[in-house]
Amino acid sequence: MDFRQLRTFSCVAELGSLSKAADKLRIAQPALSRQIKLLEHELRTELFTRSGRGMVLTEAGRVLLARTAGIVRQIDQIRDDIQSAAGAPSGRVVLGLVPTVSCVLSGRLARRTVETYPGISLCIVESYSGHLIEWLHRGEMDLAIIYGPSADLHLNIQSLGRDPIVAVGPRGSGLARKKQVGMDWLLRQKLVLPSHSHGLRALIERAAAKRKLNLDLQLEADSFRVLTSLVEAGLGYTLLPPSSVRSEIRERRLETATISGQAPMRELLIASPIDHPDSTATSVITGLLRSETAACRDERLWDIKLA
């Protein structure tokens, strides 16, 4: 196996198409196909199932991608860092954001990157913390903002700040009028939450167990937009940072109330893989994340308490 073959394999796996990979790598499609066939011949197994709809990884292909994606990313970053040393920062950065942060930061961060660092190619991936942590460990992602706690994550961690959590309900639920509700009351309502693998669900379940309450949980949603739409439809309450539903509150589609007593807060972390150093481009994006987060706080778009 050589690096050129592995990079071609990784690109085809990512895009699911030889033609798209050829366009991205600027290599003729027959040459790419030949590299894949040589790699399959060396490994004595098929890495893709080929069909009219594209290229789909076989089980062997998935194993190879899991083992080599991080290596390919690191070698690409070495090239980018050497080029950046002689000029402006350049290279590709894959950034993961939890949905409640993405809806506040994505547009601002993308604009700052394009305006200030045109040599950096930024790929923003939105998902819940559980998925982002897995992609960081596999080396498929350079950087992510996830929710804590940081114990046992086996990642490089920097604290970004703490995000308050409020009760969120549909229009007419009375939350806006009450302004504040107790956690005991909220946990007795019908709730809409992510599935067990996600941090928000664990936070709520710990609060319920502490009070010896059983959650009334008929609906789960592992999509942030689906979750808020289910609440908006009157199918239950949820708990979210107020910044993530600012537009829905302004349009009177949702209502919120603070939680009395020791209101829950979530720690936000900047995480990166532990087994390779940040590239120049990744460090630049980390700095932009911090400055844009501070700007959102100063503009009162985000109630985050910075670290």
Side-chain angles (χ1 to χ4, degrees):
M1 288 183 289
D2 64 31
F3 175 68
R4 182 175 60 178
Q5 291 174 345
L6 289 177
R7 191 165 190 265
T8 297
F9 163 75
S10 179
C11 189
V12 174
E14 177 188 355
L15 299 176
S17 164
L18 269 176
S19 61
K20 291 179 181 178
D23 290 341
K24 181 174 180 178
L25 296 175
R26 299 179 183 178
I27 300 173
Q29 188 171 327
L32 253 65
S33 180
R34 187 162 53 251
Q35 288 180 28
I36 295 295
K37 287 178 181 177
L38 285 171
L39 187 57
E40 289 179 325
H41 178 74
E42 181 178 351
L43 297 174
R44 299 179 184 179
T45 186
E46 289 191 347
L47 300 172
F48 294 96
T49 300
R50 295 154 173 86
S51 71
R53 291 178 293 180
M55 308 273 285
V56 180
L57 286 170
T58 62
E59 182 59 33
R62 285 192 288 272
V63 171
L64 181 63
L65 183 64
R67 297 290 182 89
T68 62
I71 297 170
V72 172
R73 291 287 301 132
Q74 287 185 58
I75 294 176
D76 281 341
Q77 286 177 344
I78 291 169
R79 178 202 61 211
D80 295 336
D81 279 353
I82 291 173
Q83 293 174 350
S84 296
S90 64
R92 187 168 189 258
V93 177
V94 181
L95 168 67
L97 298 175
V98 287
T100 52
V101 172
S102 178
C103 63
V104 181
L105 275 186
S106 287
R108 298 175 64 111
L109 181 70
R111 185 178 299 108
R112 280 283 304 281
T113 302
V114 168
E115 292 174 351
T116 313
Y117 299 102
I120 294 178
S121 173
L122 179 63
C123 174
I124 298 176
V125 179
E126 179 181 301
S127 191
Y128 285 110
S129 288
H131 297 146
L132 299 181
I133 290 168
E134 178 184 347
W135 295 327
L136 285 168
H137 282 151
R138 281 160 43 181
E140 296 176 15
M141 186 169 284
D142 304 301
L143 194 65
I145 294 184
I146 60 176
Y147 282 116
S150 60
D152 302 322
L153 288 181
H154 304 293
L155 295 167
N156 289 321
I157 295 296
Q158 306 173 44
S159 180
L160 181 62
R162 296 177 65 81
D163 213 2
I165 301 294
V166 298
V168 181
R171 179 177 180 176
S173 61
L175 289 182
R177 185 182 67 256
K178 292 177 182 177
K179 296 185 179 179
Q180 190 173 80
V181 296
M183 181 63 88
D184 286 1
W185 175 88
L186 183 58
L187 294 177
R188 289 187 172 91
Q189 309 309 306
K190 286 184 180 294
L191 294 176
V192 181
L193 297 173
S195 63
H196 284 285
S197 62
H198 301 296
L200 178 64
R201 176 69 173 269
L203 183 148
I204 304 308
E205 287 187 336
R206 285 196 298 270
K210 185 177 179 180
R211 293 163 173 79
K212 298 182 180 179
L213 295 174
N214 293 319
L215 296 177
D216 186 353
L217 190 63
Q218 187 176 1
L219 294 171
E220 299 176 332
D222 278 352
S223 160
F224 174 70
R225 294 305 170 193
V226 171
L227 187 149
T228 53
S229 68
L230 292 177
V231 176
E232 189 177 337
L235 297 175
Y237 295 81
T238 195
L239 293 91
L240 291 168
S243 56
S244 66
V245 288
R246 187 176 299 276
S247 61
E248 289 86 350
I249 295 168
R250 184 175 59 249
E251 295 164 7
R252 298 185 179 180
R253 291 155 48 199
L254 293 174
E255 297 182 9
T256 63
T258 60
I259 300 171
S260 60
Q262 192 172 357
M265 296 191 76
R266 302 203 64 187
E267 184 182 14
L268 282 169
L269 307 171
I270 300 175
S272 59
I274 204 166
D275 55 356
H276 65 269
D278 288 346
S279 67
T280 301
T282 299
S283 297
V284 164
I285 295 300
T286 300
L288 289 184
L289 281 171
R290 287 194 176 277
S291 64
E292 285 303 309
T293 298
C296 287
R297 181 205 58 183
D298 295 343
E299 294 169 25
R300 298 186 178 180
L301 299 174
W302 195 356
D303 299 326
I304 188 170
K305 295 179 177 12
L306 294 178

